[in-house]
Structures are given as structure tokens and as C-alpha cells.
């Protein structure tokens, strides 16, 4: 078991270069005012260490954090990848393996992101970096994923809207875990049952900034490293069926718009980055039984959603795992710019 006690973090004066015990330097802009600098804690769980190694990055903190989701998700335990079975696999099955691959998953400490992180580990990923805005949850999830699978897992508390923080974190992942091969943009928020004429402009921008801008910033930072290192890679966006149709009866114009934009963004990046052997695709889930939808006010609507779905139910949080592994692996090496629906048939009506 991993000891989750919190040893003192490594700290340096604001505005100076931070170095971890591994000697990795992270430069901090001296142009930032002291009150605008915040610390991004990093927790690393490695195979040969019983306790988490902790360091702190100093980054631009002028933006506020998004509101976290507190509702619990359905729990699932990962199964470790067994290398001994690889020689007996057929070429088709081997194409789905992620051996030697390093993955970055935003929103990876919970919900769909957490389930897909487990799936990547089960498919043989070399190491995984979980990016989430909730520090304690991120640490627990990283420790749990390492405990159950044995692979190195690194947790960062970071706001995906913060370009500088994202750049620093992605650079650190490349130093500590190796070149990033897989990116899953799962971080997102939703505002439901708000009439468009009453929608607060600050709330609207907040949602767009997380769901759209945040996904772009993470993808951009990772793609820059992939291009520079000429390694290629796979970038996966979590879109939604809301990106191609207006869902009802709830009013959620901002969410619908953000997911439509994410879908088109992914296609644009697929076109631009294909020359660098970077594939970009989206998964468009239907209604999923995650914490985002597990609110008392939504219970009546959930019954309606299930009745509008041919399969008669909401999706389970682990039912995107196979698609994530497929798009992350060489099994989809000729697939880019695709938007794959996983909606229980909702879109056929």
C-alpha cells in the first residue's frame, strides 16, 4: 500500500527557478506579480517508492479555479496488465496494446476520465499523468491507480484554463515520465436548466473557457512536444451528442455550444497535425451515469433521457473505455478527424 501522508512540499521563493529532488528545473516568469503566482502541487507515485514524491510548480494564479463536482461516481478497480500474455496474442489484438506509451488525462481523477485512465493502464500504458483541479482527489486517484496496476502515475492539481500552468505541467510530464503519446481531454463542466435569456455572461464564458479553451490549451501544449520530438501521437477529445443536436427538456445552450465547438476544433487539429503523425478524434457520449448527472434535480429528466434512448438506459462510466483504448492505440492508426458516438442509440431518433 502507498502511504498517503503528506510530507512537506519542496518550496522556493516566488519568482525563482524551482528544482525537484530529481533536478528538473521549471522556470517561472518574473513578470508576474507575487499575488498572481500560485503553486501547482505535483504528486508522483513510482514503482520503486512507497511514498509519494511531492514538488510544487509556481505558475500564474490570476485566474480563479472552476467549481469542483462533489458527487461520488460509480467505483471501479483496475486490473494490472500482464506482459506474459503478449506473445500469445494475434497481430490484431496486439494492435490494441499501449506498451511503452505515456498518457495525459485531464479530469482524470474522476468520472469518465478516471475510468479511461484505468483502461489505458489495463491496455499496457507505460505511465499516466492525471490532471485535475481537485488536489486531494487527484492524489487519491493516482495512488489507487498505481496500487492496482503497478505503473508510475503522476497527479497534478491544475486549472486547464491556465496556459502557463499547462505548459509547465506538460513539460514536466515529458521530463519525468517520457514523451507524451496519448492525450485525453476529459475535463469539463455543465450548466443545465438555465434559460438562454437568463444566462449570466460570466457563467457562459466560464463554461466555454473550461470545455473548449482548456481542451485546446492541453492539446496544443502536448502537440508542441510531439512535433518537436517527431514522435506523433493520439489526442482524444470528449465531445457529446449535445454537439450535434439540441438535447431536451433541459436548457443548456452554453454546454451544447461548447461541445459543438470541441467537435469542430478536433477536426481542424486533425487536418493540421496529420502531417506530424498526430491523430485527433472525438468521442461523443450520450447520457452517462456520472457525477455530473447524479443530482436530485435531474432524477425526473434522467427517466426521460433513458426513455429516449433505444437501449433504455444511461451509459455506465466505463462504457467509453474500449473506444478510448481503440483511439489511443495503433488499432486506429488510419483514423483521424472522426467523431464517434457512444450514446445507446439516442441519435438514431
Amino acid at each position: 500500500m502507498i502511504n498517503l501522508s503528506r510530507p512537506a512540499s519542496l518550496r522556493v521563493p516566488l519568482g525563482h527557478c524551482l528544482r525537484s529532488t530529481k533536478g528538473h528545473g521549471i522556470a517561472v516568469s518574473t513578470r508576474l506579480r507575487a499575488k498572481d503566482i500560485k503553486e501547482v502541487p505535483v504528486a508522483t507515485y513510482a514503482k520503486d517508492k512507497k511514498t509519494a514524491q511531492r514538488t510544487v510548480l509556481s505558475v500564474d494564479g490570476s485566474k480563479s479555479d472552476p467549481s469542483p463536482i462533489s458527487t461520488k461516481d460509480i467505483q471501479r478497480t483496475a486490473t494490472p496488465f500482464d506482459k506474459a500474455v503478449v506473445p500469445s496474442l494475434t497481430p490484431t489484438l496486439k494492435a490494441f496494446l499501449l506498451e511503452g506509451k505515456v498518457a495525459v488525462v485531464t479530469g482524470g481523477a474522476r468520472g469518465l476520465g478516471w475510468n479511461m485512465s484505468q483502461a489505458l493502464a489495463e491496455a499496457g500504458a507505460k505511465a499516466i499523468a492525471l490532471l485535475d483541479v481537485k488536489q486531494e482527489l487527484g492524489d487519491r486517484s493516482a495512488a489507487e491507480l498505481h496500487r492496482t496496476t503497478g505503473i508510475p502515475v503522476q497527479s497534478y492539481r491544475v486549472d486547464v484554463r491556465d496556459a502557463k500552468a499547462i505548459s509547465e505541467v506538460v513539460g514536466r510530464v515529458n521530463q519525468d515520465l517520457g514523451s507524451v503519446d496519448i492525450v485525453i481531454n476529459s475535463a469539463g463542466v455543465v450548466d443545465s436548466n438555465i434559460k438562454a435569456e437568463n444566462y449570466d455572461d460570466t457563467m457562459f464564458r466560464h463554461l466555454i473557457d473550461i470545455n473548449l479553451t482548456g481542451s485546446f490549451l492541453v492539446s496544443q501544449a502536448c502537440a508542441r512536444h510531439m512535433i518537436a520530438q517527431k514522435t506523433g501521437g493520439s489526442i482524444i477529445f470528449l465531445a457529446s451528442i449535445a454537439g450535434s443536436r439540441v438535447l431536451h427538456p433541459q436548457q443548456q445552450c452554453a454546454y451544447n455550444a461548447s461541445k459543438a465547438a470541441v467537435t469542430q476544433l478536433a477536426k481542424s487539429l486533425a487536418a493540421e497535425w496529420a502531417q506530424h503523425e498526430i491523430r485527433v478524434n472525438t468521442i461523443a457520449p450520450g447520457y452517462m451515469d456520472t457525477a455530473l448527472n447524479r443530482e436530485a434535480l435531474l432524477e425526473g429528466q434522467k427517466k426521460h433521457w433513458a426513455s429516449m434512448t433505444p437501449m433504455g438506459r444511461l451509459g455506465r462510466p466505463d462504457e467509453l473505455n474500449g473506444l478510448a483504448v481503440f483511439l489511443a492505440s495503433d488499432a486506429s492508426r488510419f483514423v483521424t478527424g472522426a467523431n464517434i458516438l457512444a450514446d445507446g442509440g439516442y441519435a438514431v431518433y
Side-chain angles (χ1 to χ4, degrees), residues 2-310:
I2 294 176
N3 184 353
L4 290 182
S5 61
R6 293 176 175 266
S9 297
L10 303 177
R11 300 179 185 274
V12 295
L14 296 178
H16 287 67
C17 181
L18 172 69
R19 293 191 177 276
S20 72
T21 54
K22 291 185 179 180
H24 299 135
I26 306 293
V28 178
S29 172
T30 57
R31 292 180 295 176
L32 296 174
R33 294 172 298 178
K35 70 183 184 69
D36 288 338
I37 298 177
K38 72 177 178 182
E39 295 174 336
V40 176
V42 181
T44 303
Y45 299 84
K47 199 165 188 177
D48 57 347
K49 297 183 185 300
K50 294 184 178 180
T51 59
Q53 177 186 344
R54 298 177 184 276
T55 54
V56 177
L57 307 185
S58 295
V59 299
D60 183 0
S62 58
K63 295 182 178 179
S64 61
D65 288 336
S67 301
I69 301 295
S70 58
T71 311
K72 291 183 179 179
D73 274 302
I74 297 172
Q75 296 302 308
R76 176 183 182 278
T77 302
T79 300
F81 175 71
D82 184 2
K83 292 184 179 180
V85 305
V86 175
S88 64
L89 297 179
T90 65
T92 297
L93 290 176
K94 285 182 180 178
F96 286 85
L97 299 182
L98 303 176
E99 286 188 291
K101 305 287 187 182
V102 175
V104 168
V105 184
T106 70
R110 50 190 157 162
L112 301 177
W114 167 242
N115 277 271
M116 289 185 285
S117 296
Q118 291 179 307
L120 299 182
E122 291 178 339
K126 170 187 171 184
I128 297 176
L130 304 180
L131 278 59
D132 202 283
V133 75
K134 295 189 73 175
Q135 174 71 54
E136 204 169 311
L137 181 58
D139 285 359
R140 286 203 309 267
S141 297
E144 171 67 9
L145 189 56
H146 168 68
R147 183 187 69 80
T148 55
T149 66
I151 69 170
V153 183
Q154 189 155 298
S155 166
Y156 296 94
R157 188 186 76 80
V158 66
D159 183 342
V160 294
R161 300 171 299 171
D162 189 334
K164 180 172 178 56
I166 290 298
S167 179
E168 300 282 8
V169 165
V170 171
R172 180 64 172 273
V173 172
N174 275 267
Q175 290 178 341
D176 288 355
L177 302 179
S179 301
V180 174
D181 305 288
I182 302 161
V183 181
I184 298 182
N185 290 292
S186 183
V189 294
V190 60
D191 294 330
S192 289
N193 301 313
I194 303 176
K195 293 182 178 181
E197 63 268 30
N198 298 330
Y199 217 119
D200 179 75
D201 65 301
T202 301
M203 289 180 61
F204 193 97
R205 291 189 179 94
H206 176 265
L207 186 145
I208 296 294
D209 214 12
I210 295 172
N211 291 4
L212 177 61
T213 309
S215 295
F216 171 70
L217 293 176
V218 172
S219 300
Q220 180 189 56
C222 292
R224 283 172 174 166
H225 284 272
M226 293 175 181
I227 292 170
Q229 297 167 2
K230 299 182 179 180
T231 54
S234 174
I235 299 176
I236 303 166
F237 287 81
L238 260 288
S240 169
I241 54 171
S244 58
R245 61 191 58 242
V246 176
L247 305 182
H248 64 88
Q250 69 275 20
Q251 297 127 324
Q252 51 182 40
C253 63
Y255 181 79
N256 295 348
S258 74
K259 292 304 182 179
V262 162
T263 304
Q264 190 65 7
L265 170 64
K267 292 180 180 179
S268 299
L269 298 180
E272 289 193 36
W273 291 342
Q275 62 180 311
H276 303 293
E277 297 186 4
I278 299 173
R279 297 182 295 106
V280 186
N281 296 285
T282 56
I283 297 174
Y287 290 108
M288 307 296 289
D289 190 19
T290 66
L292 287 174
N293 288 328
R294 205 166 299 146
E295 300 287 346
L297 292 175
L298 295 178
E299 286 307 310
Q301 291 184 359
K302 286 167 68 174
K303 292 179 181 178
H304 171 74
W305 299 338
S307 71
M308 292 294 294
T309 303

